[in-house]
Amino acid sequence: MKLTNNTILISGGTAGIGFEIAKLLTEKGNHVIITGRDQKRLDEAVAKLDNVTGILFDTTKEADTDLLVSRISADFPELNIVINNAGLAYTYDVTAGGRTWEKAGNEMETNYISLIRLTEKLLPQLLKQKAAALVNVSSIVAIAPGLSVLTYSASKAAVHAYSQGLRIALKDTSVKVFELMPPLVNTEFSKEIGGAERGIPPLQVANEFVDALAQDTYEIHVGVTAQIFELARTSPTAALNALNNLEG
């Protein structure tokens, strides 16, 4: 995939991985559209970047999605890369009660259902381009679930399965399907689960992603994700134990 002169949409691009990817891609001569749910944070992010457009957008709302798609169709008909990065995670003990299904429902709606909706509504525009890409951000926990983020892991496993199937479905079109699978990253998003102490820098994720995009590496295993993936190929139990620091 060429890395210059693209028009790129990044959902959840105001901070963390999305922001660092936006920064790298604008520096390479692309026009990037970032979205966020908070106008203040969106304005602050836009002020730090060149050649970027900020659009207020809640990925969980279909009306917002329709407005976003309409604006992109009118103002950015050359859009050829979509990075589905917006996400939500809770950390809790699933055995402790507390209506965990409600949290799981929110995670699934944000991380999976909304991703499918935005993808489906933008796909006709992407299919018009000579070269296009869809990038779904999943996680290391799509390979082996994390016990403190079990329902989040399930939502990202759904994204992983969807990405694999969509790649096959679009194999004879101009649209390439990538999946970015980071490990724990030091962002505000992962603060509750130890991101500040154990997470890798979001810039590292962005750099590895951009390199992989240029090489058409469709499943991108960043950092320790590569090790967990290789372990899971021979022993899913060993990968699960390693991710959760369990014995045996």
Side-chain angles (χ1 to χ4, degrees), residues 60 86-92 94 100-114 148-156 159 189:
T60 65
L88 174 69
Y90 298 105
T91 176
Y92 54 88
V94 294
T100 60
W101 64 87
E102 293 179 347
K103 296 182 177 70
N106 291 337
E107 289 169 329
M108 193 64 75
E109 177 66 34
T110 301
N111 301 337
Y112 180 54
I113 303 300
S114 296
S148 65
V149 287
L150 196 54
T151 55
Y152 170 77
S153 301
S155 72
K156 290 301 189 178
V159 172
F189 179 83

Side-chain angles (χ1 to χ4, degrees), residues 23 86 104 194 199:
K23 188 172 186 295

